[in-house]
Amino acid sequence: MLRDASARGNIANVPVDPIRNIVIVGGGSAGWISAAALSKFLRHLNCRIRLIESAEIGTVGVGESTIPPLIPFLGSLGIDENDLIRKIQATFKLGIEFKDWTRPGHSYIHPFGPTGRPKKNVEFYAYWRKRREGGHARPLEEYSLQAVAARQARFMRPVDLAKSPLQTITYALHLDASLLAAYLRSYAEARGVTRTEGKVRTVALRPEDGFVDSVTLESGERIEGDLFIDCSGFRGLLIEGALKTGYEDWTRWLPCDRAFAVACERTGPFSSHTLAAARDVGWQWRIPLQHRVGNGYVYCSQFIDDTTAHDTLMSNLEGRALRDPLPLRFTTGRRRLAWNKNCVDIGLSAGFLEPLESTGIHLIYRGIALLLSYFPDRHCRQADIDRFNRQTAFEFERVRDFLVVHYARTEREGEFWRHCRNLELPESLKERLELFSSYGRIVRDENELFPVQSWQYLLTGQEVQPSGYDPLAEGLTPEEAQKALDETWGLVARCATTMPPHQEFIAQHCAASPG
């Protein structure tokens, strides 16, 4: 039976009050990634996008390490990857080396991409762990093409070869965040985004519902909007300054609260991985770019003073520093609501997770992708806001848990590292570690960032030992398992030798112009 036509008409014709003016407050990576994505994906909606930023407000801009989801995001924008790499002085990244984390002198790589293949429905990690316990398997990273190539400073993009690790090469980029912002500014402005120079002086809220109505600049110009994107950094000018959203402090799990960042001259060939080296208090990053190397030291002020931290960074640079180190202060955590009223926070205004696993830029475009999934009209329906906030909170929390393991499961000595080992773990992480402690299993929740293999490399690298191996590994005889491991190792080793040196690949395809 057909439903009443008039009733159907009432349902179909619920009034929609479209978003016509989007105001982005703040530039940098967060602002211009947001502007680029919105200008691309909202191009048919007759929606004006305006970005407000001040040239007087600087950015860190010493190098940024990213993760593989960046590559399809850039592809979705229609950006030519080689052109981007040339113009932002980028290099390629196959993973992260964690040096001295488990204990001094120890090193492991968290590589991107798959490792090995299932055999008779037994997962690679399961039969690898069984053979490893018996002393018959090599270290896990020797079965990963990305890890082996990273150790050898090699790189190439994937090629179409069936059943070859070369087909599944997975990579990200090291890039200059300031140059990325400038590149995406040109992209966004070419698609109609208007940039306004200036600083926000005041924010006006609508008295009837508390929505952001407008911002007034120091020049006196008043700018109204239907939807506001807060990319103002740690200040959270709209989301916190005006809307008083609140902040969830995670320093009880991630105690580092300061950093120094500095660029230095590069003295050797391009490496194809990020380096994270543990220090007595915290850790130091190294990010290779075409024109320089980005460095930073993340530390906890409770255990080391700023002068000592500064000197630690400067004494561990490979080349001459190109400027004085930039000091940074932060509180690890997230905003209690990522979307409040008609304001969505993106980037540092949404929260801060230290760059240990290179998630900063990912969380920017992930926030925009979620916004597009729940894109509102001018009413900003609460059901969409609530779903967006639950998903954002979940993703931040899962990244947090991944970072916490680096600190909580080490053998390093010293007051700082003992403090980290004694911290009470988040409940969500406790459950995951308990599952792993039995048979080495990792259970991945839908939509969380890090895949099962990332957790396997992290926990194995930190030498977290389960009490046994997956019982399903008994589905392979020792001979079958060993043959599969040996074939994988040999194939990876041969494939790595076919990959050119990283620097040679860049020179052939995407070297920046000199000068």
Coordinates of all heavy atoms in Angstrom, one line a residue, residues 263-332:
A263 N 65.7 23.7 12.9 CA 66.2 23.1 11.7 C 67.7 23.2 11.6 O 68.3 24.1 12.2 CB 65.6 23.8 10.5
C264 N 68.4 22.2 11.0 CA 69.8 22.2 10.8 C 70.2 21.8 9.4 O 69.3 21.3 8.7 CB 70.5 21.3 11.9 SG 70.4 19.6 11.6
E265 N 71.4 22.0 9.1 CA 71.9 21.6 7.8 C 71.9 20.0 7.7 O 72.2 19.4 8.7 CB 73.3 22.1 7.6 CG 73.4 23.6 7.4 CD 74.8 24.1 7.2 OE1 75.7 23.4 7.7 OE2 75.0 25.2 6.6
R266 N 71.7 19.5 6.5 CA 71.7 18.1 6.3 C 73.2 17.8 5.9 O 73.8 18.4 5.0 CB 70.8 17.7 5.2 CG 70.7 16.2 4.9 CD 69.6 15.9 4.0 NE 69.6 16.7 2.8 CZ 70.4 16.4 1.7 NH1 71.2 15.3 1.7 NH2 70.3 17.2 0.6
T267 N 73.7 16.7 6.5 CA 75.1 16.4 6.2 C 75.3 15.1 5.4 O 76.4 14.7 5.1 CB 75.9 16.3 7.5 OG1 75.3 15.2 8.3 CG2 75.9 17.6 8.3
G268 N 74.2 14.3 5.2 CA 74.4 13.0 4.5 C 73.2 12.8 3.5 O 72.4 13.7 3.3
P269 N 73.1 11.7 2.9 CA 72.0 11.4 2.0 C 70.7 11.3 2.7 O 70.6 11.2 3.9 CB 72.4 10.0 1.4 CG 73.3 9.4 2.4 CD 74.1 10.5 3.0
F270 N 69.6 11.4 1.9 CA 68.3 11.3 2.5 C 68.0 9.9 3.1 O 68.3 8.9 2.5 CB 67.2 11.5 1.4 CG 67.3 12.8 0.6 CD1 66.9 12.8 -0.7 CD2 67.7 14.0 1.3 CE1 67.0 14.0 -1.4 CE2 67.8 15.1 0.6 CZ 67.4 15.2 -0.8
S271 N 67.6 9.9 4.3 CA 67.1 8.7 4.9 C 65.6 8.6 4.5 O 64.9 9.6 4.2 CB 67.2 8.7 6.4 OG 66.6 9.8 7.0
S272 N 65.1 7.4 4.5 CA 63.7 7.2 4.1 C 62.8 6.8 5.3 O 61.8 6.1 5.2 CB 63.5 6.2 3.0 OG 64.3 5.0 3.3
H273 N 63.2 7.3 6.5 CA 62.3 7.1 7.7 C 62.6 8.3 8.7 O 63.6 9.0 8.6 CB 62.6 5.8 8.4 CG 64.0 5.7 8.9 ND1 65.1 5.3 8.1 CD2 64.5 5.9 10.2 CE1 66.2 5.3 8.9 NE2 65.9 5.6 10.1
T274 N 61.7 8.5 9.6 CA 61.8 9.4 10.7 C 62.6 8.7 11.8 O 62.4 7.5 12.0 CB 60.4 9.8 11.2 OG1 59.6 10.3 10.1 CG2 60.5 10.8 12.3
L275 N 63.4 9.5 12.5 CA 64.1 8.9 13.7 C 63.5 9.6 14.9 O 63.4 10.8 15.0 CB 65.6 9.3 13.6 CG 66.4 8.9 14.8 CD1 66.4 7.3 15.0 CD2 67.8 9.4 14.7
A276 N 63.2 8.7 15.9 CA 62.8 9.1 17.2 C 63.7 8.5 18.2 O 63.7 7.3 18.4 CB 61.3 8.7 17.5
A277 N 64.6 9.3 18.8 CA 65.6 8.8 19.7 C 65.3 9.1 21.1 O 65.1 10.3 21.5 CB 67.0 9.3 19.3
A278 N 65.2 8.1 22.0 CA 64.9 8.4 23.4 C 66.1 9.1 24.1 O 67.3 8.9 23.8 CB 64.6 7.1 24.1
R279 N 65.8 10.0 25.0 CA 66.8 10.7 25.8 C 66.5 10.4 27.3 O 65.5 9.7 27.6 CB 66.7 12.2 25.5 CG 66.9 12.6 24.1 CD 68.4 12.4 23.7 NE 68.6 12.8 22.3 CZ 69.4 12.1 21.4 NH1 69.9 10.9 21.8 NH2 69.6 12.5 20.2
D280 N 67.3 10.9 28.1 CA 67.1 10.6 29.6 C 65.8 11.1 30.0 O 65.2 10.5 30.9 CB 68.2 11.3 30.4 CG 69.6 10.7 30.2 OD1 69.7 9.5 29.7 OD2 70.6 11.3 30.5
V281 N 65.3 12.2 29.4 CA 64.0 12.7 29.7 C 63.3 13.0 28.4 O 63.7 14.0 27.7 CB 64.0 14.0 30.6 CG1 62.6 14.5 30.8 CG2 64.7 13.7 31.9
G282 N 62.4 12.2 27.9 CA 61.7 12.4 26.7 C 62.5 11.9 25.5 O 63.2 10.9 25.6
W283 N 62.3 12.6 24.3 CA 62.9 12.0 23.1 C 63.1 13.1 22.1 O 62.6 14.2 22.2 CB 61.9 11.0 22.5 CG 60.5 11.6 22.1 CD1 59.5 11.9 23.0 CD2 60.1 12.0 20.8 NE1 58.5 12.4 22.3 CE2 58.8 12.5 21.0 CE3 60.7 11.9 19.6 CZ2 58.0 12.9 19.9 CZ3 59.9 12.4 18.5 CH2 58.6 12.9 18.7
Q284 N 63.9 12.8 21.1 CA 64.3 13.8 20.0 C 63.9 13.2 18.7 O 64.1 12.1 18.4 CB 65.8 14.0 20.1 CG 66.3 15.1 19.1 CD 67.7 15.4 19.3 OE1 68.2 15.4 20.4 NE2 68.4 15.8 18.3
W285 N 63.3 14.1 17.8 CA 63.0 13.7 16.5 C 64.0 14.2 15.5 O 64.6 15.2 15.7 CB 61.6 14.1 16.1 CG 61.4 15.6 15.7 CD1 61.8 16.2 14.6 CD2 60.7 16.6 16.5 NE1 61.4 17.5 14.6 CE2 60.7 17.8 15.7 CE3 60.0 16.6 17.7 CZ2 60.1 19.0 16.2 CZ3 59.4 17.8 18.2 CH2 59.5 18.9 17.4
R286 N 64.1 13.5 14.4 CA 64.9 13.9 13.2 C 64.0 13.6 12.0 O 63.6 12.5 11.7 CB 66.2 13.1 13.1 CG 67.0 13.5 11.8 CD 68.2 12.6 11.6 NE 69.0 13.0 10.5 CZ 68.7 12.6 9.2 NH1 67.6 11.9 9.0 NH2 69.4 13.0 8.2
I287 N 63.8 14.7 11.2 CA 62.9 14.6 10.0 C 63.7 15.1 8.8 O 64.0 16.4 8.7 CB 61.6 15.4 10.2 CG1 60.8 14.8 11.4 CG2 60.8 15.4 8.9 CD1 59.6 15.6 11.7
P288 N 64.1 14.3 7.9 CA 64.9 14.7 6.7 C 64.1 15.4 5.6 O 63.1 14.8 5.1 CB 65.5 13.4 6.2 CG 64.5 12.4 6.5 CD 63.8 12.8 7.8
L289 N 64.4 16.6 5.2 CA 63.8 17.3 4.1 C 64.9 17.4 3.0 O 66.1 17.2 3.2 CB 63.3 18.6 4.5 CG 62.3 18.6 5.7 CD1 61.9 20.0 6.0 CD2 61.1 17.8 5.4
Q290 N 64.5 17.9 1.8 CA 65.5 18.1 0.8 C 66.5 19.2 1.1 O 67.6 19.0 0.7 CB 64.7 18.3 -0.6 CG 63.9 17.2 -1.1 CD 63.5 17.4 -2.5 OE1 64.3 17.9 -3.4 NE2 62.3 17.0 -2.8
H291 N 66.0 20.2 1.7 CA 66.9 21.4 1.9 C 67.5 21.5 3.3 O 68.3 22.3 3.6 CB 66.1 22.7 1.6 CG 64.9 22.9 2.4 ND1 64.0 21.9 2.7 CD2 64.4 24.0 2.9 CE1 63.0 22.4 3.4 NE2 63.2 23.7 3.6
R292 N 67.0 20.6 4.3 CA 67.5 20.7 5.6 C 66.9 19.6 6.4 O 66.2 18.7 5.9 CB 67.0 22.1 6.3 CG 65.5 22.2 6.4 CD 65.1 23.6 6.8 NE 63.7 23.8 7.0 CZ 63.1 24.9 7.1 NH1 63.7 26.1 7.0 NH2 61.8 25.0 7.4
V293 N 67.2 19.5 7.7 CA 66.7 18.5 8.6 C 65.9 19.2 9.7 O 66.4 20.1 10.3 CB 67.8 17.6 9.2 CG1 67.3 16.7 10.2 CG2 68.5 16.9 8.0
G294 N 64.7 18.7 10.0 CA 64.0 19.2 11.1 C 64.3 18.4 12.4 O 64.4 17.2 12.3
N295 N 64.4 19.1 13.5 CA 64.8 18.4 14.7 C 63.9 19.0 15.9 O 63.5 20.2 15.8 CB 66.3 18.7 15.1 CG 67.2 18.3 14.0 OD1 67.6 17.2 13.9 ND2 67.5 19.3 13.1
G296 N 63.7 18.2 16.9 CA 63.0 18.7 18.0 C 63.3 17.8 19.2 O 63.6 16.6 19.1
Y297 N 63.2 18.4 20.4 CA 63.3 17.6 21.6 C 62.1 17.8 22.5 O 61.7 18.9 22.9 CB 64.6 18.1 22.4 CG 64.8 17.4 23.7 CD1 64.4 16.1 24.0 CD2 65.5 18.0 24.7 CE1 64.6 15.5 25.2 CE2 65.8 17.4 26.0 CZ 65.3 16.1 26.2 OH 65.5 15.5 27.4
V298 N 61.3 16.7 22.7 CA 60.1 16.7 23.5 C 60.5 16.2 24.9 O 61.1 15.2 25.1 CB 59.0 15.8 22.9 CG1 57.8 15.8 23.8 CG2 58.7 16.3 21.5
Y299 N 60.1 17.0 25.9 CA 60.6 16.6 27.3 C 59.5 17.0 28.3 O 58.5 17.7 28.0 CB 61.9 17.3 27.6 CG 61.9 18.8 27.6 CD1 61.8 19.5 28.8 CD2 62.0 19.5 26.4 CE1 61.8 20.9 28.8 CE2 62.1 20.9 26.4 CZ 61.9 21.6 27.6 OH 61.9 23.0 27.6
C300 N 59.8 16.6 29.5 CA 58.9 16.9 30.7 C 59.6 17.8 31.6 O 60.7 17.5 32.2 CB 58.5 15.6 31.4 SG 57.5 15.8 32.9
S301 N 59.0 19.0 31.8 CA 59.7 20.0 32.7 C 59.8 19.6 34.1 O 60.5 20.3 34.9 CB 58.9 21.4 32.5 OG 57.6 21.2 33.0
Q302 N 59.0 18.6 34.5 CA 59.1 18.1 35.9 C 60.5 17.5 36.2 O 60.9 17.4 37.3 CB 58.0 17.1 36.2 CG 57.9 16.6 37.6 CD 56.8 15.6 37.8 OE1 55.9 15.5 37.0 NE2 56.9 14.8 38.8
F303 N 61.1 17.0 35.1 CA 62.4 16.2 35.3 C 63.6 16.8 34.7 O 64.7 16.3 34.8 CB 62.1 14.8 34.7 CG 61.1 14.0 35.4 CD1 59.8 14.0 34.9 CD2 61.4 13.3 36.5 CE1 58.8 13.3 35.6 CE2 60.4 12.6 37.2 CZ 59.1 12.6 36.7
I304 N 63.5 17.9 33.9 CA 64.6 18.5 33.3 C 64.3 20.0 33.1 O 63.2 20.4 32.8 CB 65.0 17.9 31.9 CG1 66.3 18.4 31.4 CG2 63.8 18.0 31.0 CD1 66.7 17.6 30.1
D305 N 65.3 20.9 33.3 CA 65.0 22.3 33.1 C 65.2 22.7 31.7 O 65.8 22.0 30.9 CB 66.0 23.1 34.0 CG 67.4 22.9 33.7 OD1 67.9 23.5 32.7 OD2 68.1 22.1 34.4
D306 N 64.7 23.9 31.3 CA 64.7 24.3 29.9 C 66.2 24.4 29.3 O 66.4 24.1 28.2 CB 64.0 25.6 29.7 CG 62.5 25.5 30.0 OD1 62.0 24.3 30.0 OD2 61.8 26.5 30.3
T307 N 67.1 24.9 30.1 CA 68.4 25.2 29.7 C 69.1 23.8 29.3 O 69.7 23.7 28.3 CB 69.3 25.9 30.7 OG1 68.7 27.2 31.0 CG2 70.7 26.1 30.2
T308 N 68.9 22.8 30.2 CA 69.5 21.5 29.9 C 68.8 20.9 28.7 O 69.5 20.3 27.8 CB 69.3 20.6 31.1 OG1 69.9 21.2 32.3 CG2 70.0 19.3 30.9
A309 N 67.5 21.1 28.5 CA 66.8 20.5 27.4 C 67.3 21.2 26.1 O 67.6 20.5 25.1 CB 65.3 20.7 27.5
H310 N 67.5 22.5 26.1 CA 68.0 23.2 25.0 C 69.4 22.7 24.6 O 69.7 22.4 23.4 CB 68.1 24.7 25.3 CG 68.8 25.6 24.3 ND1 70.2 25.6 24.3 CD2 68.3 26.4 23.4 CE1 70.5 26.5 23.3 NE2 69.4 27.0 22.7
D311 N 70.3 22.5 25.6 CA 71.6 22.1 25.3 C 71.6 20.6 24.8 O 72.5 20.3 24.0 CB 72.5 22.2 26.5 CG 72.7 23.7 26.9 OD1 72.4 24.6 26.1 OD2 73.1 23.9 28.1
T312 N 70.7 19.8 25.3 CA 70.6 18.4 24.8 C 70.3 18.4 23.3 O 70.9 17.6 22.6 CB 69.6 17.7 25.6 OG1 69.9 17.6 27.0 CG2 69.4 16.2 25.1
L313 N 69.3 19.2 22.9 CA 69.0 19.2 21.5 C 70.1 19.7 20.7 O 70.5 19.1 19.7 CB 67.8 20.1 21.3 CG 67.4 20.4 19.9 CD1 67.0 19.1 19.1 CD2 66.2 21.4 19.8
M314 N 70.7 20.8 21.1 CA 71.8 21.4 20.2 C 73.0 20.5 20.1 O 73.8 20.6 19.2 CB 72.1 22.8 20.8 CG 70.9 23.8 20.8 SD 70.3 24.0 19.1 CE 71.5 25.1 18.4
S315 N 73.3 19.7 21.1 CA 74.4 18.9 21.1 C 74.2 17.6 20.3 O 75.1 16.8 20.1 CB 74.9 18.5 22.5 OG 73.9 17.8 23.2
N316 N 73.0 17.4 19.9 CA 72.7 16.2 19.1 C 72.2 16.5 17.7 O 71.4 15.7 17.1 CB 71.6 15.3 19.9 CG 72.2 14.6 21.1 OD1 72.9 13.6 20.9 ND2 72.0 15.2 22.3
L317 N 72.6 17.6 17.1 CA 72.3 17.9 15.7 C 73.4 17.4 14.8 O 74.6 17.4 15.2 CB 72.2 19.4 15.6 CG 71.1 20.1 16.4 CD1 71.1 21.6 16.1 CD2 69.7 19.5 16.2
E318 N 73.0 17.0 13.6 CA 74.0 16.5 12.7 C 74.8 17.6 12.0 O 75.8 17.3 11.4 CB 73.4 15.5 11.7 CG 72.4 16.3 10.7 CD 71.7 15.3 9.8 OE1 70.8 14.6 10.2 OE2 72.1 15.2 8.6
G319 N 74.2 18.8 11.9 CA 74.8 19.9 11.2 C 74.6 21.2 11.9 O 73.9 21.2 13.0
R320 N 75.0 22.3 11.3 CA 74.8 23.6 11.9 C 73.4 24.0 12.0 O 72.6 23.8 11.1 CB 75.6 24.6 11.0 CG 75.5 26.1 11.5 CD 76.3 27.0 10.6 NE 75.7 27.0 9.2 CZ 74.7 27.8 8.8 NH1 74.2 28.7 9.7 NH2 74.3 27.8 7.6
A321 N 73.0 24.5 13.2 CA 71.6 25.0 13.3 C 71.4 26.2 12.5 O 72.2 27.0 12.3 CB 71.4 25.3 14.8
L322 N 70.2 26.2 11.9 CA 69.9 27.3 10.9 C 69.2 28.5 11.6 O 68.9 29.5 11.0 CB 69.0 26.8 9.8 CG 69.7 25.7 8.9 CD1 68.7 25.2 7.9 CD2 71.0 26.2 8.3
R323 N 68.9 28.3 12.9 CA 68.3 29.4 13.7 C 68.3 29.0 15.1 O 68.7 27.9 15.4 CB 66.8 29.7 13.2 CG 65.8 28.6 13.5 CD 64.4 29.0 13.1 NE 63.5 28.1 13.6 CZ 62.2 28.0 13.2 NH1 61.8 28.9 12.3 NH2 61.3 27.2 13.7
D324 N 67.9 29.9 16.0 CA 67.8 29.5 17.4 C 66.6 28.6 17.6 O 65.6 28.8 16.9 CB 67.6 30.8 18.2 CG 68.8 31.7 18.3 OD1 69.9 31.1 18.1 OD2 68.7 32.9 18.4
P325 N 66.7 27.7 18.5 CA 65.5 26.8 18.7 C 64.3 27.5 19.2 O 64.4 28.5 19.9 CB 66.0 25.8 19.8 CG 67.5 25.9 19.8 CD 67.8 27.3 19.3
L326 N 63.2 27.0 18.7 CA 61.9 27.6 19.1 C 61.3 26.9 20.2 O 61.1 25.7 20.2 CB 60.9 27.5 17.9 CG 59.5 28.1 18.1 CD1 59.5 29.6 18.3 CD2 58.6 27.7 16.9
P327 N 61.0 27.5 21.4 CA 60.4 26.8 22.5 C 58.9 26.7 22.4 O 58.2 27.6 21.9 CB 60.8 27.8 23.7 CG 60.8 29.1 23.1 CD 61.3 28.9 21.7
L328 N 58.4 25.5 22.8 CA 57.0 25.2 22.7 C 56.5 24.7 24.1 O 57.2 23.9 24.7 CB 56.7 24.2 21.6 CG 57.2 24.5 20.2 CD1 57.1 23.3 19.3 CD2 56.3 25.6 19.6
R329 N 55.3 25.1 24.4 CA 54.7 24.6 25.7 C 53.3 24.1 25.3 O 52.6 24.7 24.5 CB 54.6 25.6 26.8 CG 56.0 26.2 27.2 CD 55.8 27.0 28.5 NE 57.1 27.4 29.0 CZ 57.3 28.0 30.2 NH1 56.3 28.2 31.0 NH2 58.5 28.4 30.5
F330 N 53.0 22.9 25.9 CA 51.7 22.3 25.5 C 51.2 21.5 26.6 O 51.9 21.1 27.6 CB 51.9 21.5 24.2 CG 53.0 20.4 24.3 CD1 52.7 19.2 24.9 CD2 54.2 20.7 23.8 CE1 53.8 18.3 25.0 CE2 55.3 19.8 23.9 CZ 55.0 18.6 24.5
T331 N 49.9 21.2 26.6 CA 49.2 20.3 27.5 C 48.6 19.2 26.6 O 47.7 19.4 25.8 CB 48.2 21.0 28.3 OG1 48.8 22.0 29.1 CG2 47.5 20.0 29.3
T332 N 49.1 18.0 26.7 CA 48.6 16.9 25.9 C 47.1 16.6 26.4 O 46.8 16.6 27.5 CB 49.4 15.6 26.2 OG1 50.8 15.9 25.8 CG2 48.9 14.5 25.3

